[in-house]
């Protein structure tokens, strides 16, 4: 029996049980159905072999991880929503604009103290929103080199900004 057939049979037999497991944790039927479907899609797209004995544990572990990710996502969304409400009440007051300008100024002072490649990679990451692989493509550097220098820059900037605040 193929891997897909094993997963399909398990899905047909245990979908309701797994849906109840996820629903009990997030209390939202529609989102629960999405998470269960996502779990089985991940299993179907996974290249590793799966056997009937380990499939139940794998499904429940995968669903548990998806529930945790769901909660993390919602916590971040609530934080961002709160921040947006707070800043919208503040408006674009001179005080808000001044603090943004001061933070940017401090960032630039810290970046000026970094060696050139570290500062350049950090700028690309922070201001350009590029990931390590994107920076590698743009600069032609090796992945590990960029990752290492970006790590050094992050560590330095954390310490620098911590000491000035």
């Amino acid at each position: 029996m193929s891997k897909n057939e094993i997963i399909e049979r398990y899905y047909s037999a245990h979908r309701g049980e797994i849906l109840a497991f996820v629903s009990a944790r997030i209390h939202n039927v529609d989102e629960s159905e999405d998470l269960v479907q996502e779990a089985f899609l991940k299993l179907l797209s996974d290249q590793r072999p799966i056997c009937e004995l380990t499939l139940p544990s794998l499904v429940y572990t995968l669903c548990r991880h998806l529930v945790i990710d769901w909660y993390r996502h919602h916590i971040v969304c609530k934080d961002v929503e709160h921040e947006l409400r707070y800043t919208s009440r503040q408006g674009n007051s001179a005080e808000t604009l001044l603090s943004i300008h001061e933070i940017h100024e401090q960032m630039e002072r810290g970046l000026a103290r970094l060696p050139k490649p570290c500062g350049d990679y950090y700028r690309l990451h922070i201001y350009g929103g590029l990931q390590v692989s994107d920076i590698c493509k743009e600069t032609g550097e090796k992945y590990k080199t960029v990752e290492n220098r970006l790590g050094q820059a992050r560590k330095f900037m954390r310490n620098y900004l911590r000491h000035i605040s």
Side-chain angles (χ1 to χ4, degrees):
M1 185 178 302
S2 75
K3 177 183 107 172
N4 289 352
E5 290 172 343
I6 293 170
I7 294 171
E8 288 171 18
R9 232 176 10 152
Y10 186 83
Y11 180 78
S12 299
H14 300 281
R15 181 186 175 279
E17 177 186 323
I18 295 164
L19 187 58
F21 173 81
V22 174
S23 293
R25 281 148 182 81
I26 67 171
H27 309 291
N28 185 326
V29 177
D30 294 332
E31 298 262 352
S32 298
E33 289 176 354
D34 289 346
L35 291 179
V36 170
Q37 188 175 23
E38 185 178 341
F40 279 96
L41 286 174
K42 281 186 177 188
L43 286 171
L44 288 169
S45 63
D46 194 6
Q47 299 301 318
R48 294 177 287 179
I50 294 174
C51 69
E52 290 180 61
L53 293 174
T54 60
L55 185 59
S57 300
L58 184 60
V59 168
Y60 280 98
T61 301
L62 188 54
C63 286
R64 186 170 41 92
H65 288 229
L66 288 172
V67 166
I68 291 168
D69 290 345
W70 184 85
Y71 272 110
R72 284 183 185 145
H73 172 75
H74 283 276
I75 288 170
V76 168
C77 286
K78 284 181 182 179
D79 288 347
V80 168
E81 186 178 301
H82 172 72
E83 195 66 33
L84 287 174
R85 280 190 192 138
Y86 176 74
T87 54
S88 68
R89 276 187 254 136
Q90 297 292 322
N92 283 335
S93 68
E95 191 176 303
T96 305
L97 293 174
L98 182 62
S99 68
I100 291 171
H101 179 71
E102 287 174 354
I103 291 170
H104 181 72
E105 219 174 77
Q106 292 296 338
M107 287 278 293
E108 286 302 318
R109 284 187 192 140
L111 285 170
R113 294 179 179 198
L114 283 169
K116 184 158 175 45
C118 292
D120 292 344
Y121 298 157
Y122 193 78
R123 273 192 183 85
L124 288 171
H125 179 66
I126 296 296
Y127 297 133
L130 300 179
Q131 299 297 322
V132 175
S133 56
D134 300 327
I135 296 170
C136 291
K137 289 175 189 171
E138 191 166 308
T139 62
E141 283 286 341
K142 294 180 183 175
Y143 186 89
K144 282 293 184 184
T145 303
V146 172
E147 188 177 49
N148 185 17
R149 289 181 177 161
L150 189 56
Q152 290 171 355
R154 285 181 182 140
K155 184 177 179 181
F156 174 82
M157 290 302 291
R158 263 193 313 270
N159 288 331
Y160 177 76
L161 293 173
R162 188 177 301 134
H163 290 340
I164 63 166
S165 60

